[in-house]
Amino acid sequence: MASQSDHKATIIDGKAIAQTIRSEIADETRHLSQKYGKGCLELLSRSGVSIKGKNAVVVGRSNIVGLPVSLLLLKADATVSIVHSRTPDPERLVREADIVIAAAGQARMVKGSWIKPGAAVIDVGTNAVDDPRKKSGYRLVGDVDFEEASKVAGWITPVPGGVGPMTVAMLLRNTLDGAKRVIEK
């Protein structure tokens, strides 16, 4: 019979477990972020907007939208700039863009005067602003001042009704693709 002194506890490797969890979270975030990024590119593509060789500005640098869509635009051969809270003179960069992806989380931050005439503007932002005329007391607006920008842009997505439905469609596509992968195994 073994004595208690012969017993050795199994070592739990917390670093390895934490790394596995971080990898799983990063993988899920990557899949989540792809729905927005791919959705934005799908909107551009299906609207006849060419990306290759264009100047694109992404307003916002989040891990969910800003960074992934920036990388996807780069892969599609756009020249990409990222505007964020510490960017000096953001309107100058936006004004030079052929494609603007707004995902900053600030209601009507991007003004119509910032938009280059004919630019494609994808507004990913969804912000609630007070509106006493609405039963709910608020309404949804994007990160782009739609009323101003729509007078200048060549293409523009409304909020609500632009990126949201495309996001749902991309989720359905991802679900279908995932099911196909499982069936093919």
Side-chain angles (χ1 to χ4, degrees):
M1 181 164 147
S3 69
Q4 267 194 317
S5 62
D6 293 338
H7 176 76
K8 293 198 177 191
T10 302
I11 296 174
I12 299 173
D13 188 350
K15 285 172 103 175
I17 293 169
Q19 181 59 41
T20 300
I21 292 170
R22 279 195 297 272
S23 294
E24 290 170 0
I25 291 169
D27 195 43
E28 286 301 313
T29 301
R30 195 169 21 263
H31 290 299
L32 179 65
S33 64
Q34 285 177 356
K35 75 175 192 219
Y36 290 109
K38 287 182 179 178
C40 291
L41 269 62
E42 188 79 17
L43 283 168
L44 292 168
S45 171
R46 290 186 180 244
S47 299
V49 177
S50 172
I51 298 171
K52 189 174 188 171
K54 299 287 176 68
N55 285 328
V57 169
V58 178
V59 182
R61 58 180 170 182
S62 73
N63 290 337
I64 301 297
V65 181
L67 293 177
V69 80
S70 298
L71 294 173
L72 289 169
L73 287 164
L74 269 174
K75 281 184 151 183
D77 297 324
T79 300
V80 180
S81 298
I82 301 173
V83 168
H84 53 80
S85 60
R86 301 288 185 251
T87 301
D89 199 15
E91 54 267 29
R92 179 186 58 77
L93 286 171
V94 173
R95 210 173 285 120
E96 296 171 359
D98 303 304
I99 299 168
V100 178
I101 311 286
Q106 292 189 13
R108 298 189 202 108
M109 175 187 161
V110 179
K111 306 299 181 201
S113 62
W114 294 20
I115 304 298
K116 178 180 179 178
V121 180
I122 306 292
D123 192 346
V124 182
T126 303
N127 308 281
V129 295
D130 292 336
D131 188 345
R133 296 173 297 173
K134 297 283 189 178
K135 185 177 179 181
S136 63
Y138 69 92
R139 65 187 168 97
L140 298 178
V141 299
D143 291 351
V144 176
D145 188 322
F146 184 83
E147 289 74 28
E148 291 181 11
S150 62
K151 296 174 185 170
V152 183
W155 297 266
I156 189 167
T157 58
V159 174
V163 173
M166 176 55 78
T167 300
V168 172
M170 296 308 287
L171 280 170
L172 291 171
R173 177 186 275 175
N174 289 347
T175 301
L176 180 62
D177 291 346
K180 285 179 182 176
R181 279 193 300 275
V182 168
I183 290 169
E184 291 171 358
K185 283 185 179 179

